Amino acid sequence: MIETMENNSNIVDVTSETFVTEVIEKSHEVPVLLDFWADWCEPCKNLTPILHDIVEQHPGKILLAKVNT
């Protein structure tokens, strides 16, 4: 199952099972920004709100795909 972040359909969690559908296939429609992150990664935590803001400022024009590494 793909979960959206903060009820924004342009921000999705991606797994190995959903990568092709959510990243590769959707990249034919809109640019997909990949965010590789980890719970222990402080720089990742600092970058997350910036990436969310970018996506929210351009609704429907970009997809943020988050990959928990």
Side-chain angles (χ1 to χ4, degrees):
M1 180 175 163
I2 301 163
E3 296 179 277
T4 59
M5 308 303 283
E6 298 177 7
N7 297 322
N8 186 332
S9 62
N10 296 308
I11 302 173
V12 295
D13 281 325
V14 178
T15 64
S16 57
E17 292 83 19
T18 62
F19 190 87
V20 170
T21 303
E22 290 299 313
V23 177
I24 304 299
E25 291 177 9
K26 288 201 177 169
S27 72
H28 296 285
E29 302 168 22
V30 296
V32 176
L33 177 61
L34 284 171
D35 177 20
F36 293 95
W37 66 278
D39 286 331
W40 53 264
C41 177
E42 285 303 315
C44 299
K45 293 176 186 178
N46 294 331
L47 184 60
T48 296
I50 295 167
L51 296 176
H52 284 225
D53 285 344
I54 291 169
V55 172
E56 290 168 5
Q57 289 174 14
H58 304 284
K61 305 232 185 233
I62 188 168
L63 175 72
L64 175 60
K66 301 179 68 59
V67 181
N68 185 347
T69 58

